[in-house]
Every structure is written in structure tokens, then in C-alpha cells.
């Protein structure tokens, strides 16, 4: 495998700047073109096997290119494993004497449930109260995007977004609320279309101060 340089300038505790990397995340981040090609060939073979196992013919016209398409699609849908949060945040941290809430809401997210590898989609609201530093507004959406483009459960995704913001700029508090629809509940299992799962993570003053928490919850409902 290619050399795995460690970046100690990351704003997050993970030395590679990935934020809670999985077992093979670092190897994927640093892989060569040849290693990536080999990885995709393995996935193509696996998808062909799946097609055969469900009773399909992977050689029929409509499915001939499906294994290659799926391999490319799943790599794109999990591209968060290739993104370093240090690069995502980059230099978009600014000194600013602002001590009121900063809120970005209705951020669209799409992810894959790690239990069934089917999508869940929804919206997330992210707020923080600065402590001398503010983060570029688009970076809140980028942080959400990075973590959502990994295999996830909604509870962990919500917490990872909050902790990433907390570690990046050390604000007085961070609040994240996510609402999502899970295809594993609507297409299979209990099959309950329209059901929505809501998760939250409150850190710092959002957890300890009721008025601050209530202000946030009121603002995201408008």
C-alpha cells in the first residue's frame, strides 16, 4: 500500500484527520490508482455473485454493466471515507467577536444504513455559539456531507457532526437535530412509509442551559 502520512495539524483528535476512521479507511485514503482499480474489480465480482444468488442472469443485456455501475456508484456514495476533515474545514476558521447563536438548518443529507446498505435521507440543522471563532457557513454543510457519505446509523451520524464542529472551533456549545426517512423501514421489514426518525445531540451550553436549547428548538421549527 502507499505510504500513510500522518497529519498532526488536523483540528480533530484522529491523527489522519478522518474523524473516527473505520478499519480500512486509511488504506482507502492513501491507495494508488492500481489499488483502487483492484478494489473495484473485487466489488464487480461480488455484485455478479449477488445477481446470480437472487436468481438473475448477470450476462443478460440489462445487467451486463450493472456490476461496474454499482461498484462506481457505491464508491461515490461512500466517498466520505476519502475526505479528511482537515481538508474539508481547511482555513475557513475566522476570529470573530460574535457570541450569539449561528444556525444553518434544512441541510439535505443522504446516507447508507450500515445494517442493510439501503439509503436514508433527510435534513439536519446545525447550530453553535461561538467562543471567539466562527466557521465558514458552507463548512457546516460540508461536515454533514462528509460523515453522511459513509456507512452510518442516524444516531452516530448526528453525534459525529456535533463533535466535529466542537473539536474544530471549540465553541461554547453545539446542537444538531436530524430528521430522516429510512428505506429499511419503508421498503422492507415493518414497511411504514412516511415514518420519520428524529435524533439530536446537544453539547456544551445547549445541554446545560435550557433557555439556549429551547431557543434552538424554536428556531428550527419556524
Amino acid at each position: 500500500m502507499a505510504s500513510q502520512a500522518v497529519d498532526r495539524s488536523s483540528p480533530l483528535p484522529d491523527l489522519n484527520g478522518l474523524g473516527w476512521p473505520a478499519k480500512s479507511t486509511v488504506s482507502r485514503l492513501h491507495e494508488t490508482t492500481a489499488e483502487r482499480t483492484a478494489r473495484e474489480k473485487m466489488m464487480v465480482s461480488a455484485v455478479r455473485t449477488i445477481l446470480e444468488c437472487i436468481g438473475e442472469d448477470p450476462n443478460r443485456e440489462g445487467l451486463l454493466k450493472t456490476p461496474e455501475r454499482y461498484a462506481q456508484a457505491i464508491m461515490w456514495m461512500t466517498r466520505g471515507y476519502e475526505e479528511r476533515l482537515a481538508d474539508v474545514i481547511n482555513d475557513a476558521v475566522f476570529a470573530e467577536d460574535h457570541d450569539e447563536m449561528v444556525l444553518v438548518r434544512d441541510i439535505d443529507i443522504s446516507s447508507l444504513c450500515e445494517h442493510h446498505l439501503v439509503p436514508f435521507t433527510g435534513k439536519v440543522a446545525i447550530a453553535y455559539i461561538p467562543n471567539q471563532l466562527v466557521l465558514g457557513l458552507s463548512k457546516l454543510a460540508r461536515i454533514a456531507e462528509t460523515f453522511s457519505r459513509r456507512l452510518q446509523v442516524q444516531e452516530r451520524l448526528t453525534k459525529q457532526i456535533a463533535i466535529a464542529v466542537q473539536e474544530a472551533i471549540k465553541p461554547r456549545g453545539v446542537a444538531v437535530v436530524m430528521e430522516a426517512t429510512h428505506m429499511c423501514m419503508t421498503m422492507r421489514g415493518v414497511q411504514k412509509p412516511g415514518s420519520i426518525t428524529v435524533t439530536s445531540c446537544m453539547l456544551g451550553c445547549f445541554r446545560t442551559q435550557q433557555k439556549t436549547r429551547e431557543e434552538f428548538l424554536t428556531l428550527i421549527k419556524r
Side-chain angles (χ1 to χ4, degrees):
M1 300 296 265
S3 61
Q4 298 177 358
V6 172
D7 181 0
R8 300 181 185 275
S9 66
S10 167
L12 296 170
D14 164 42
L15 294 180
N16 289 281
L18 294 164
W20 306 277
K23 182 178 180 180
S24 301
T25 305
V26 176
S27 63
R28 178 172 170 181
L29 178 70
H30 296 289
E31 69 186 357
T32 65
T33 300
E35 289 167 342
R36 184 181 181 91
T37 300
R39 184 191 297 270
E40 291 186 359
K41 284 183 177 179
M42 289 178 60
M43 287 193 289
V44 168
S45 177
V47 175
R48 284 185 61 86
T49 300
I50 291 173
L51 291 173
E52 291 172 348
C53 288
I54 65 173
E56 264 293 356
D57 176 11
N59 294 314
R60 71 176 176 86
E61 182 180 3
L63 294 175
L64 271 176
K65 295 293 184 180
T66 296
E68 289 85 354
R69 292 190 192 103
Y70 184 79
Q72 293 170 4
I74 197 70
M75 289 295 282
W76 189 89
M77 288 186 287
T78 60
R79 68 187 186 277
Y81 290 121
E82 302 175 15
E83 295 180 346
R84 298 171 65 258
L85 282 164
D87 296 331
V88 170
I89 296 170
N90 200 6
D91 58 353
V93 176
F94 309 100
E96 191 67 41
D97 186 21
H98 180 79
D99 59 1
E100 299 293 335
M101 189 183 306
V102 177
L103 166 65
V104 178
R105 66 181 192 184
D106 295 330
I107 301 170
D108 290 316
I109 59 102
S110 298
S111 191
L112 291 176
C113 166
E114 67 180 32
H115 298 147
H116 301 97
L117 298 185
V118 293
F120 66 91
T121 62
K123 294 182 182 293
V124 60
I126 307 171
Y128 68 93
I129 296 183
N131 183 18
Q132 306 301 319
L133 297 175
V134 298
L135 192 61
L137 294 178
S138 67
K139 300 305 180 181
L140 296 175
R142 286 287 308 279
I143 289 171
E145 177 77 3
T146 294
F147 284 116
S148 67
R149 294 303 183 182
R150 303 179 182 185
L151 301 185
Q152 283 287 7
V153 294
Q154 184 176 332
E155 297 89 339
R156 184 174 66 235
L157 174 57
T158 304
K159 188 173 183 178
Q160 285 180 338
I161 293 170
I163 293 176
V165 175
Q166 178 70 34
E167 293 294 335
I169 57 173
K170 302 294 190 297
R172 292 169 53 202
V174 181
V176 178
V177 169
M178 184 180 300
E179 298 184 359
T181 298
H182 293 248
M183 301 302 282
C184 60
M185 286 186 63
T186 61
M187 289 185 66
R188 59 160 301 282
V190 294
Q191 299 182 59
K192 298 298 181 184
S195 60
I196 296 175
T197 300
V198 181
T199 51
S200 68
C201 181
M202 307 286 174
L203 303 176
C205 61
F206 286 96
R207 176 180 286 272
T208 60
Q209 298 178 15
Q210 182 178 352
K211 288 185 177 180
T212 304
R213 184 167 61 252
E214 289 178 348
E215 179 186 1
F216 166 69
L217 295 174
T218 298
L219 288 173
I220 65 175
K221 292 177 182 178
R222 288 184 177 177

